[in-house]
Amino acid sequence: MAKRAQPVTLTQTIGGVFTLLVALAILAPLGAVIFRAEGFSDLRAADWAAVRFTLLQAALSAFVSCIAAIPVARALARRKFLGRGAYISLMGAPFILPVIVAVMGLLAIFGRAGWLNAALEGIGAGTVEIYGMVGVVMAHVFLNLPLATRLLLQAWLAVPAERIRLAHSLNFTAQDMRRHFGWPLLRATLPGAALVIFLICTTSFAVALILGGGPAATTIELAIYQAFQFDFDLGRAALLGMVQVAICVGAGLIVWRFANATEFGGGLDRPAMPWPGDRPLSRGIDAAALILAGAFLLLPLAAVAGQGIGAVTGLPISTWEAALRSVLLALASTALAVTLALPIALLIAGKPTRAGLEGVGLLSIAVSPLVIGTGLFLIVFPIANPVTLSLPITGLVNALVALPFLLRALIPAAKQAEATQGRLADALGMRGMARLRHAILPRLRRPLGFGAGLAAAFSMGDLGVIALFSAQGQETLPLEMYRLFGSYRTNDAQGAAVLLMALSLGMFWLFDQGGRANAAS
Amino acid sequence: MTLTNTTIIAAGLTLLTGAAFAQEPVLTVYTYDSFNSDWGPGPGVEVAFEEICGCDLQFTSTGDGAALLARLRLEGERSEADVVLGIDTNLTAAATEAGLMAEHGVTTDALTLPVEWNDPYFLPFDWGYFAFVHRANMENVPASFEALAASETSIVIQDPRSSTPGLGLLMWVQNAYGDAAPAIWEALADNVVTVTPGWSEAYGLFLEGEADMVLSYTTSPAYHLIAEEDDSYASASFSEGHYMQVEVGGVLQTADNPELAQQFIEFMVSPAFQTVIPETNWMYPAALPAESLPEGFGTLTQPETALIFSAAEAAAVRDEALATWQNALSQ
């Protein structure tokens, strides 16, 4: 990138202020817990075992999710087929499901009484055991493969059509495509995607415990839960929270070394076209990737839908009220997440050397929701009744949690927009809003829609802080679903799960579609 | 922006509700989530108590019993809670030691528990026996932990670090086997399909057919029988006896309205409250004779021996029992 004098713009100032606010909103609760605990307690041997298990399962999960995402994203980038849009939207669903629903879906297929084992038994073959490390990684891949695929797909779709056309006219082989497009793209996006997934998996606890098979599958998050609720040892909870932050920072530094931006030059934003070097073999590989990933992701969803769809119409009024509350909450937290993410992304994109800034965005997935929630509680408690504020606080935390995903999607696109359109905009003297509206935002539309959809869906499915604070008449849909499960109303709970899945998917689809409007014209 | 609006609306609504009940004193009761769901005892209890108290009863709920206690300790002296409802005897020692509770002063003659009750701080409102629930058509139902461990029967249990039934199972084995508990856990390890964070996940897995049995209560089949008219579930009877979960309520030292809180605790063991329990919480009421129980409760497994640790005993054995459990199941 050409060095040029860059005046500090209003956007950058706002970006800087927002970055500080986000850092404060994440670190202040951690500080509050430490302060209340009056120092740290020692970690036990079991805590270190939890740290080791957490790192191992998260690294494996991130690795497998990303490797598996490569052929799927590539197939989606270079194939047009009927229902491609629906396929992309639908396969995003696992990521936003509450853990219990996702696990039930997986077990319906791979469990002891699942379809797979029934089929294997039918042909006289042995049975498959899902519990253990294999189950943990499988569930995390189920939840995160869609995210990895979409992040890679975003990058591939950001390649200007003119480049592909040029490759066609130069008679590029499949190998040339890999060398000039595939590899540089993966190098730029894969480390970031892996990092995000790694961090998500470090804070997992229900998935790891249920499918891990027992106490050996203890993650740091469960250790925090135990320290807080079982021993009421805030010092140990805070220290474990710090260990999570340290892991985040460490992983971030490693990834930062491997990621570097790609620049494909400017284009006129025409739609993508089939790649050169297309052979029957590559068509076969693409078809296999799409079918396998589709089966892996969609069959469990179909099982969940099949179990619950009959119960949807009979759901009690309170469930519909909770659904409405969740939708409004998701919209609010999405608005907040987008408002925060855009200036931060632009700030980071404008200053390629400031990896620390991006780290702030990532912090919020690494910090334990339990620690954030408890810390916020401690901060709010002296001022106001936290229960009255449970919905706004949940909205705020959901926005913070969605921020890393938005940044992951926005930053590469913003960098590219700066790289390709920045100079022209400079030459035309475009500054401020005009520059944003004409040069930058049109190139951010797709990742923005995707990120907003993710934020909305994520907020819909989240069962974090609300469970700590909830009061009468403030239940969100996931909380309502858990209560139905807890009151033996399994059928109603499955119905609520289907409603939740439909609403999450619907919101994701709407935002994502909005992001693609005009992109193909 | 929208967030601010929500805040303003929320604040406005709070003011409105506050104004509407301005003349009535408010009683704040902290309880666990499922107690206060539409299907739990909360709504019925609220209606019944508000009829007699001239007050506004408000429930605030947290995840489960353990979370409830953590919440109270977090809030300390500044808690708005008047009454805590729904921690069990395995947790009460911590609440008492932290100086959170005031004495209840209620006579315990009316209690119908199978064990004696003499805790000055907490009064029970319901109880149940932990039991392994299975499908009624299951063959060779194990009749003890030893038989279960020696069999091929698969079970799903809950983690004691994150759920009260999980902690109850730990206490059950500890109470029944004492020094032999580690050997029991080692022998049980290969029967355990998996361990879940809470009761809901475990029961869900069992219903899906992931295991032959699930740790729940002897009263669980009553739900299926009464609410779903489904008699295909039963609970195994263990010869060493069954550990009890006794759920209790108490008045907080910091209650803003101690008289009202005291009135609620007395109401808690009165028939108006107690009759709500069986078919909403699916537990045994703590002060209601057996003949007043709904039809269907008579068909349930009746353990010959009721096992329970006192609050102090439970607190004393907890950490070691947890370490034993973790070691045995981590192999």
Side-chain angles (χ1 to χ4, degrees):
Chain A
M1 191 186 288
K3 283 216 172 89
R4 56 179 187 271
Q6 239 184 10
V8 177
T9 63
L10 183 62
T11 328
Q12 283 172 331
T13 313
I14 297 174
V17 172
F18 280 7
T19 310
L20 280 178
L21 283 179
V22 168
L24 194 68
I26 295 161
L27 295 177
L30 190 58
V33 176
I34 298 169
F35 181 74
R36 169 66 197 270
E38 295 173 342
F40 297 117
S41 326
D42 285 341
L43 293 186
R44 305 165 178 177
D47 294 330
W48 290 112
V51 170
R52 279 195 299 276
F53 174 78
T54 303
L55 290 176
L56 179 63
Q57 60 84 14
L60 272 174
S61 303
F63 179 76
V64 177
S65 301
C66 285
I67 295 299
I70 296 171
V72 186
R74 188 181 57 186
L76 284 170
R78 65 184 180 186
R79 301 288 158 211
K80 282 206 164 122
F81 56 92
L82 194 66
R84 179 174 170 277
Y87 180 97
I88 294 176
S89 287
L90 265 180
M91 71 175 278
F95 184 65
I96 55 202
L97 283 178
V99 164
I100 191 172
V101 181
V103 168
M104 293 290 174
L106 276 177
L107 287 173
I109 311 299
F110 301 101
R112 297 184 152 211
W115 299 355
L116 182 63
N117 277 329
L120 287 174
E121 205 174 314
I123 58 169
T127 51
V128 176
E129 181 68 63
I130 193 184
Y131 301 97
M133 186 60 100
V134 174
V136 175
V137 173
M138 186 195 245
H140 283 155
V141 172
F142 175 73
L143 293 166
N144 294 301
L145 175 62
L147 178 68
T149 306
R150 281 305 294 266
L151 289 174
L152 296 189
L153 183 60
Q154 288 296 340
W156 257 313
L157 292 182
V159 175
E162 291 80 1
R163 299 277 129 179
I164 310 255
R165 187 179 299 175
L166 185 61
H168 270 291
S169 55
L170 291 172
N171 277 330
F172 265 27
T173 61
Q175 201 188 347
D176 294 330
M177 282 302 287
R178 261 199 296 283
R179 191 150 49 104
H180 293 284
F181 291 94
W183 179 237
L185 271 172
L186 289 181
R187 227 177 111 70
T189 42
L190 217 46
L195 175 62
V196 170
I197 294 171
F198 174 84
L199 293 179
I200 297 173
C201 295
T202 56
T203 56
S204 147
F205 107 77
V207 167
L209 192 57
I210 297 176
L211 290 171
T218 298
T219 56
I220 302 174
E221 190 70 21
L222 176 57
I224 292 176
Y225 197 89
Q226 179 190 358
F228 177 58
Q229 301 206 323
F230 189 89
D231 298 326
F232 198 67
D233 186 345
L234 289 177
R236 214 169 108 239
L239 191 52
L240 285 162
M242 298 280 287
V243 169
Q244 288 222 23
V245 171
I247 289 172
C248 162
V249 171
L253 287 177
I254 293 169
V255 167
W256 182 47
R257 270 191 57 78
F258 287 102
N260 55 22
T262 43
E263 285 166 36
F264 285 96
L268 294 171
D269 299 341
R270 293 223 175 81
M273 57 173 64
W275 291 4
D278 204 12
R279 289 164 302 165
L281 178 65
S282 50
R283 272 196 287 275
I285 291 173
D286 285 357
L290 292 176
I291 290 169
L292 280 176
F296 176 59
L297 296 172
L298 299 182
L299 284 179
L301 295 182
V304 169
Q307 280 171 342
I309 203 141
V312 172
T313 48
L315 285 173
I317 292 290
S318 60
T319 308
W320 295 101
E321 286 168 359
L324 179 66
R325 210 171 288 125
S326 276
V327 168
L328 294 177
L329 188 65
L331 289 175
S333 77
T334 306
L336 182 64
V338 169
T339 310
L340 287 172
L342 197 55
I344 297 179
L346 292 175
L347 175 69
I348 294 171
K351 300 184 171 182
T353 48
R354 297 280 176 85
L357 288 174
E358 200 175 339
V360 170
L362 287 173
L363 262 185
S364 59
I365 0 182
V367 179
S368 153
L370 196 65
V371 172
I372 295 195
T374 306
L376 282 176
F377 184 93
L378 287 170
I379 293 170
V380 170
F381 190 62
I383 311 162
N385 182 357
V387 174
T388 326
L389 297 175
S390 68
L391 287 178
I393 289 178
T394 307
L396 171 67
V397 174
N398 284 348
L400 288 177
V401 168
L403 198 59
F405 305 102
L406 266 160
L407 290 179
R408 255 301 113 213
L410 282 177
I411 291 168
K415 274 187 181 154
Q416 211 163 354
E418 270 300 334
T420 58
Q421 317 294 327
R423 249 169 302 177
L424 180 62
D426 284 344
L428 292 172
M430 281 164 78
R431 303 269 298 273
M433 279 311 286
R435 181 195 180 98
L436 200 60
R437 215 171 65 224
H438 296 294
I440 308 295
L441 274 187
R443 267 144 208 91
L444 295 188
R445 191 191 291 270
R446 204 195 311 251
L448 205 55
F450 165 65
L454 216 52
F458 205 57
S459 168
M460 277 300 295
D462 174 69
L463 175 83
V465 188
I466 189 77
L468 274 181
F469 292 108
S470 81
Q472 236 164 341
Q474 300 198 342
E475 298 83 4
T476 58
L477 189 52
L479 184 59
E480 175 88 355
M481 191 192 74
Y482 262 90
R483 286 187 178 177
L484 284 162
F485 269 119
S487 310
Y488 290 93
R489 318 230 155 207
T490 316
N491 285 340
D492 282 342
Q494 286 169 339
V498 173
L499 181 63
L500 182 60
M501 192 158 78
L503 286 173
S504 305
L505 259 179
M507 291 189 79
F508 176 72
W509 183 81
L510 277 176
F511 278 110
D512 200 27
Q513 213 58 24
R516 268 185 279 166
N518 299 343
S521 61
Chain B
M1 273 168 282
T2 324
L3 187 82
T4 327
N5 283 341
T6 322
T7 320
I8 292 165
I9 292 167
L13 286 176
T14 319
L15 284 177
L16 278 178
T17 355
F21 292 100
Q23 64 278 43
E24 289 184 338
V26 172
L27 180 71
T28 307
V29 175
Y30 279 19
T31 189
Y32 54 81
D33 255 350
S34 59
F35 189 94
N36 189 33
S37 73
D38 280 2
W39 319 275
V45 166
E46 187 177 347
V47 171
F49 189 60
E50 284 179 354
E51 267 175 25
I52 57 164
C53 72
C55 71
D56 175 23
L57 172 59
Q58 289 183 2
F59 286 113
T60 297
S61 49
T62 60
D64 77 339
L68 192 55
L69 185 59
R71 170 78 173 270
L72 282 173
R73 296 174 75 168
L74 206 54
E75 294 185 349
E77 289 182 358
R78 304 190 44 255
S79 177
E80 290 189 8
D82 298 304
V83 170
V84 56
L85 195 68
I87 56 179
D88 72 17
T89 47
N90 297 325
L91 298 168
T92 48
T96 314
E97 270 166 34
L100 296 172
M101 308 309 300
E103 295 198 14
H104 60 72
V106 179
T107 54
T108 53
D109 304 341
L111 296 183
T112 52
L113 294 176
V115 291
E116 244 183 272
W117 191 262
N118 41 31
D119 187 324
Y121 297 98
F122 288 101
L123 207 57
F125 64 92
D126 71 8
W127 62 281
Y129 292 110
F130 289 114
F132 285 93
V133 170
H134 58 88
R135 285 168 192 79
N137 62 8
M138 178 179 161
E139 287 166 23
N140 302 324
V141 178
S144 69
F145 276 107
E146 280 163 332
L148 173 61
S151 73
E152 298 276 295
T153 309
S154 57
I155 57 173
V156 185
I157 60 175
Q158 299 85 359
D159 196 306
R161 296 168 291 178
S162 52
S163 76
T164 52
L167 185 56
L169 177 62
L170 215 58
M171 294 297 157
W172 186 1
V173 174
Q174 194 66 38
N175 189 304
Y177 290 92
D179 291 344
I184 291 289
W185 277 116
E186 271 158 37
L188 275 176
D190 63 348
N191 298 85
V192 178
V193 173
T194 196
V195 178
T196 65
W199 179 90
S200 305
E201 293 93 348
Y203 210 78
L205 292 189
F206 163 71
L207 291 178
E208 297 284 304
E210 289 299 306
D212 301 323
M213 297 176 126
V214 60
L215 178 78
S216 191
Y217 301 89
T218 57
T219 41
S220 299
Y223 171 80
H224 297 288
L225 191 66
I226 298 171
E228 296 179 337
E229 297 182 348
D230 178 356
D231 62 357
S232 58
Y233 295 94
S235 70
S237 178
F238 276 18
S239 55
E240 55 267 63
H242 287 244
Y243 196 77
M244 290 171 64
Q245 179 170 48
V246 181
E247 297 195 297
V248 299
V251 177
L252 284 149
Q253 196 66 260
T254 53
D256 294 333
N257 202 333
E259 289 92 45
L260 202 52
Q262 184 63 31
Q263 190 189 351
F264 183 82
I265 289 296
E266 283 161 24
F267 170 75
M268 190 177 80
V269 287
S270 74
F273 183 112
Q274 292 288 306
T275 47
V276 176
I277 292 296
E279 289 187 54
T280 52
N281 229 22
W282 302 101
M283 298 280 275
Y284 288 109
L288 205 65
E291 55 271 20
S292 310
L293 287 173
E295 210 178 319
F297 271 70
T299 64
L300 303 174
T301 302
Q302 280 303 329
E304 298 196 350
T305 316
L307 307 174
I308 191 163
F309 278 128
S310 71
E313 286 168 331
V317 300
R318 200 185 71 155
D319 286 346
E320 206 188 323
L322 181 68
T324 302
W325 177 86
Q326 268 174 298
N327 282 337
L329 292 193
S330 295
Q331 301 306 313

